[in-house]
Each structure stands twice: as structure tokens, then as C-alpha cells.
């Protein structure tokens, strides 16, 4: 059996898209050295340096291991093979014990709330500066 290569850049793209984050927003979060084009190039790379992977992990709030180990084909097989199997991760009432998608969505909503608060604070600061500049 041949070892499959995990495409880390593609995994970053998958998780970024699942979170509804655009490339330019990720670039902004990574710092001033980043832009949308660099994110696009990054997502095409099969392997990504560990320090950068760790930084992206912190920004997206997704474990580094998810980028290093996620294999879409394998995930689809696991889902297909366990669908309806109540012995794995399910209580008797068919409710998942842990739903990582809900956790990711919750983190995403928290991030949006933080961005909105930061934008409001920026707008307030700009308004104050404009008032200050208009004073004689």
C-alpha cells in the first residue's frame, strides 16, 4: 500500500473556506507581510514550514495536526463507513456527543463579533480624531 501525501496547503484552504474566511482576511490576520496573493500561493504548497503552520493554526483556531494529517478521501471513507453505526460517537438518541463543526462555527462567530467590535472602536477613534483636528 502506497503512503498518501497530505497536501497541507490544500488543507489550509479547506478549513479556511469551511470557516467562511477569505484569503485577504487570513492575510490580514497573519500580518503586514501577507496579502491575498501570498495566501493563494501558500495554499498550493504541499508542505508548509512548521512555524508558519503554527501561526495559521493560531489564527484559524484549528490544531496544527488538522493541517498535517487531514486526508479528505480518508475522512469521506470514515464517514461513509460509520454512517448509521451507533457505536461510534453517538448516544442512543443519535445525537453526537461532540460536534467539531459546531465548535468551529462558534469560534468563527466569536471572531466575527471581535472584528465588529474592533471596527466600531476604530470608527469611534477616527471620529474623535476628526473632532480633535477640527478644533481651532
Amino acid at each position: 500500500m502506497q503512503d498518501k501525501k497530505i497536501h497541507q496547503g490544500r488543507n489550509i484552504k479547506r478549513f479556511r473556506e469551511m470557516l467562511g474566511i477569505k484569503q485577504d482576511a487570513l492575510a490580514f490576520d497573519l500580518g503586514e507581510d501577507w496579502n491575498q496573493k501570498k495566501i493563494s500561493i501558500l495554499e498550493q504548497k504541499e508542505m508548509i514550514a512548521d512555524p508558519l503552520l503554527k501561526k495559521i493554526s493560531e489564527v484559524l483556531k484549528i490544531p496544527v495536526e488538522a493541517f498535517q494529517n487531514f486526508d479528505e478521501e480518508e475522512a469521506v471513507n470514515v464517514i461513509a463507513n460509520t454512517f448509521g453505526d451507533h457505536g461510534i460517537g453517538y448516544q442512543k438518541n443519535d445525537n453526537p456527543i461532540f460536534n467539531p463543526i459546531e465548535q468551529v462555527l462558534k469560534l468563527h462567530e466569536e471572531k466575527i463579533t471581535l472584528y465588529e467590535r474592533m471596527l466600531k472602536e476604530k470608527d469611534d477613534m477616527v471620529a474623535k480624531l476628526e473632532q480633535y483636528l477640527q478644533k481651532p
Side-chain angles (χ1 to χ4, degrees):
M1 186 160 123
Q2 182 182 357
D3 286 335
K4 290 186 180 179
K5 296 252 185 195
I6 303 295
H7 196 289
Q8 295 175 354
R10 197 174 303 133
N11 286 343
I12 289 171
K13 179 178 180 177
R14 283 188 186 107
F15 286 110
R16 176 186 58 74
E17 289 176 342
M18 279 195 291
L19 292 168
I21 297 172
K22 295 189 178 291
Q23 287 179 331
D24 54 353
L26 177 57
F28 178 82
D29 285 346
L30 288 175
E32 60 186 51
D33 292 343
W34 287 89
N35 58 41
Q36 181 273 325
K37 183 172 178 143
K38 282 181 79 172
I39 297 296
S40 179
I41 292 168
L42 174 80
E43 290 176 348
Q44 295 172 31
K45 291 185 177 182
E46 188 170 322
M47 297 296 293
I48 296 167
D50 285 344
L52 178 55
L53 213 50
K54 185 175 182 333
K55 188 171 183 180
I56 293 168
S57 166
E58 291 167 1
V59 167
L60 295 179
K61 294 182 172 50
I62 292 178
V64 172
E65 295 77 20
F67 303 121
Q68 294 170 328
N69 301 324
F70 182 75
D71 180 350
E72 186 175 35
E73 185 177 319
E74 186 177 314
V76 168
N77 287 337
V78 167
I79 292 167
N81 291 332
T82 59
F83 184 74
D85 180 357
H86 299 87
I88 300 177
Y90 285 90
Q91 298 171 338
K92 289 182 181 178
N93 62 4
D94 289 339
N95 289 328
I97 294 170
F98 173 73
N99 187 343
I101 298 298
E102 286 179 11
Q103 297 296 320
V104 168
L105 290 174
K106 181 180 175 191
L107 289 171
H108 179 62
E109 289 170 7
E110 290 172 2
K111 192 172 189 177
I112 288 173
T113 302
L114 177 62
Y115 279 139
E116 289 171 347
R117 192 175 82 222
M118 289 170 59
L119 285 172
K120 184 182 180 330
E121 289 174 6
K122 178 197 70 107
D123 291 343
D124 292 346
M125 190 179 296
V126 168
K128 286 180 183 177
L129 285 171
E130 286 174 346
Q131 288 176 351
Y132 177 75
L133 290 173
Q134 290 176 357
K135 289 184 179 179

